Amino acid sequence: TRTAYILLGILLGALGVHNFYAGYAGRGIAQLLITLFSVFILSPLVALWAIIEVIVVDKDAKGEPFA
């Protein structure tokens, strides 16, 4: 559901969990690796990226709208 996607994006966005939930594995891996390889230094930027995604993305990876 969209609510779960939003909550995951807000709470665990820097780790890309919301993207794994929605089926966007590539984005999720990118966010996770950027956060981990920068030793969390770039996590605020990744978190901002996640917040923007939560606002903009309204469909999962299959193209189906969130319920």
Side-chain angles (χ1 to χ4, degrees):
T1 65
R2 180 139 171 87
T3 304
Y5 179 77
I6 291 170
L7 288 174
L8 288 171
I10 291 170
L11 299 174
L12 299 170
L15 299 175
V17 175
H18 62 295
N19 280 318
F20 289 112
Y21 174 78
Y24 296 109
R27 290 184 197 173
I29 290 170
Q31 290 173 324
L32 179 63
L33 292 179
I34 290 169
T35 298
L36 294 179
F37 285 152
S38 71
V39 194
F40 292 88
I41 293 171
L42 296 178
S43 62
L45 293 176
V46 178
L48 178 62
W49 175 12
I51 297 299
I52 292 169
E53 282 181 332
V54 165
I55 294 168
V56 174
V57 174
D58 60 351
K59 296 178 183 172
D60 65 11
K62 297 176 186 173
E64 298 176 15
F66 288 116

